[in-house]
Amino acid sequence: EAYEFSACLVGSEMCISGRQASFIFNKVVDGLLIAIGVLPRIHDPCLYYYCDLNGLVMICIVWTDDIVITGDASDKIEETCTCLADYFRKVKFNEEISRYVGLDLLRDRIQRTMTLSQRPYQQSLLDKYNAGHKRPRSTPINPVSDLRTKGGGTLPDVYEQSGEIGYLADRSMPELKFASSQLRSAAADPTAEHEKAIQHVHRYLASDSRPPGITFRRGSTTEVLLFGMSDGSAIKGHDSVSQLAYCFFLNLHSGTVCSRSVKASAIGTAPSDVELKAIVLAFKKGIFLRGLLFEIGYPQHQPTVIYTDSKTVLDQVHGDTISSASEHLILAINYIRDQIKLGHVLLLHVDTDQNTSDVMTKATSPAKFVPLSTAPVPYTPLTPPTHYPAQTPALPLSRQPTPH
């Protein structure tokens, strides 16, 4: 259920606007919720949580002046709504969420799925750039495109176009993250290749084969088991700065809940160096997500598994010694070893062809991109970490099949 509250406070003579309004509104809401026992989470102060003695839960999410209230603690939900409605002049109530902060929420109660989509926004881009009638593309980026070379200042910037693509990538189309990262890096000084790449992305949006968005599906149980994948791509040409990526899932039947693709801050000296940097990023995010899940009632009782396709890094992490070739990586290796020893994270191997994060570090062919991002493949049920397979099945970023 969603509730929208305006920033007009009871007793106020004027409606405050801009940043000051958001700050004051959040401060007021924070005080009201804390007063009735709905407390903010340490890992996200805009996320509020309540659980009664019977295990009934209410979760409240605050985004500027839009509030989502959900859960099975019906009495506390009613109390919260009454408390907020009494304080604000205007309250708009939506019985069920269909759209929130630019995202369309499509629910199938028979299949028990929920899809986050931005179809209207995608269509607006197709209309804006007249791309709907052109031949669609099955991948968002051409594998032979050179997007690392910067222009000579002869072409106008592409801030707007790269921002539009990034808006989709960050919210409902994680398979666009690599293309978005490359285009944003050269937005101030693009080449003709970058302009072609933007057109290529628009033609990908026109494809019927791409997923509608990120679909989440409940599995055979209500268990939430966090796991992730990481990948690092060494770039030999141009500036040689590598691309790092990771993605996380909460079960084997849903799309990614968190993903990132970013250029490394420094040049890697070897492929294993690059993979190690990606794993460290994934470990840090995995630890954060474990803490967040714990705060909303889903503690992880086993180490969070993170998969990598680098056997060299696995040998370095699980080995007893550090060779002269990897001495400069000792801090990162020891950090990973320490987190594994503490029982927070477990590092396992997966084939490159089944590593979902691989499509977020490089431009891949349709033969590899489509299975990892959209196409359903067979799955095995989640098992305890001691029985995890040496390799996990490919996990599409956006959509996964109905569990067997």
Side-chain angles (χ1 to χ4, degrees):
E1 296 178 332
Y3 302 84
E4 297 181 8
F5 301 90
S6 73
C8 298
L9 307 183
V10 171
S12 298
E13 296 299 330
M14 62 180 180
C15 180
I16 306 171
S17 61
R19 294 182 181 178
Q20 188 181 12
S22 299
F23 173 78
I24 294 177
F25 180 84
N26 184 265
K27 187 176 180 179
V28 169
V29 170
D30 185 73
L32 292 173
L33 293 177
I34 292 176
I36 59 174
V38 184
L39 305 179
R41 304 293 88 187
I42 295 175
H43 289 77
D44 188 342
C46 292
L47 175 64
Y48 297 80
Y49 179 81
Y50 170 84
C51 182
D52 66 15
L53 297 177
N54 297 318
L56 300 179
V57 170
M58 189 196 82
I59 293 177
C60 182
I61 303 170
V62 180
W63 178 279
T64 312
D65 62 346
D66 292 324
I67 299 175
V68 171
I69 300 175
T70 186
D72 53 8
S74 56
D75 291 341
K76 177 58 70 170
I77 290 177
E78 183 178 355
E79 179 187 357
T80 303
C81 294
T82 302
C83 176
L84 295 173
D86 288 344
Y87 199 90
F88 294 95
R89 288 181 176 176
K90 180 181 178 183
V91 176
K92 181 181 178 182
F93 166 70
N94 295 321
E95 188 170 324
E96 182 174 304
I97 302 175
S98 59
R99 185 172 179 82
Y100 186 68
V101 293
L103 284 170
D104 291 317
L105 281 69
L106 311 175
R107 306 185 73 172
D108 186 333
R109 297 190 180 277
I110 296 177
Q111 297 295 328
R112 308 195 75 170
T113 65
M114 180 175 67
T115 300
L116 305 183
S117 174
Q118 291 175 284
R119 277 293 174 85
Y121 184 74
Q122 296 170 22
Q123 187 59 48
S124 69
L125 293 184
L126 294 179
D127 296 338
K128 179 179 179 179
Y129 297 105
N130 196 27
H133 69 284
K134 297 179 181 178
R135 195 174 97 177
R137 299 296 186 185
S138 57
T139 63
I141 192 169
N142 190 334
V144 300
S145 296
D146 175 16
L147 301 182
R148 291 274 177 159
T149 301
K150 301 294 178 64
T154 57
L155 297 175
D157 65 70
V158 290
Y159 284 121
E160 181 180 358
Q161 296 90 330
S162 62
E164 292 167 342
I165 294 171
Y167 182 66
L168 289 171
D170 293 339
R171 290 176 171 244
S172 65
M173 300 185 70
E175 71 271 23
L176 295 181
K177 283 189 178 288
F178 175 68
S180 172
S181 175
Q182 297 295 296
L183 292 172
R184 282 173 163 175
S185 297
D189 190 15
T191 65
E193 285 288 309
H194 294 98
E195 293 183 337
K196 291 180 181 179
I198 292 171
Q199 296 174 10
H200 191 101
V201 173
H202 292 159
R203 294 171 71 173
Y204 170 74
L205 297 180
S207 172
D208 293 331
S209 63
R210 62 179 176 79
I214 305 177
T215 297
F216 303 99
R217 178 181 287 106
R218 179 176 175 176
S220 57
T221 69
T222 58
E223 181 183 23
V224 173
L225 189 57
L226 177 71
F227 62 97
M229 294 185 172
S230 72
D231 187 60
S233 178
I235 307 296
K236 297 180 180 179
H238 305 295
D239 58 6
S240 297
V241 178
S242 55
Q243 193 78 15
L244 314 175
Y246 60 73
C247 52
F248 283 90
F249 304 84
L250 293 181
N251 62 29
L252 284 174
H253 316 294
S254 299
T256 178
V257 295
C258 178
S259 60
R260 186 185 184 192
S261 177
V262 61
K263 289 182 69 174
S265 58
I267 298 174
T269 58
S272 60
D273 182 6
V274 175
E275 295 280 3
L276 194 63
K277 291 177 180 178
I279 292 170
V280 170
L281 283 180
F283 267 46
K284 291 179 179 179
K285 179 57 70 172
I287 293 170
F288 168 83
L289 293 174
R290 284 173 63 90
L292 180 61
L293 289 171
F294 176 82
E295 287 199 294
I296 59 174
Y298 293 98
Q300 301 297 290
H301 300 292
Q302 57 276 313
T304 294
V305 177
I306 294 178
Y307 293 94
T308 177
D309 54 18
S310 175
K311 292 184 178 180
T312 302
V313 171
L314 284 169
D315 291 339
Q316 291 173 338
V317 170
H318 297 304
D320 296 328
T321 59
I322 299 294
S323 67
S324 59
S326 57
E327 288 176 339
H328 62 296
L329 305 175
I330 185 64
L331 290 178
I333 292 174
N334 281 343
Y335 169 77
I336 294 174
R337 288 175 175 175
D338 187 51
Q339 295 304 318
I340 293 175
K341 183 178 179 180
L342 291 172
H344 296 161
V345 190
L346 182 64
L347 188 64
L348 296 180
H349 180 259
V350 64
D351 279 343
T352 301
D353 291 339
Q354 296 179 326
N355 188 350
T356 306
S357 59
D358 195 55
V359 300
M360 296 192 295
T361 60
K362 61 183 71 70
T364 56
S365 64
K368 183 173 186 178
F369 176 83
V370 173
L372 289 178
S373 62
T374 61
V377 296
Y379 289 86
T380 56
L382 283 174
T383 55
T386 54
H387 297 91
Y388 260 92
Q391 301 179 93
T392 187
L395 298 160
L397 285 169
S398 306
R399 179 177 57 188
Q400 307 206 18
T402 302
H404 299 296

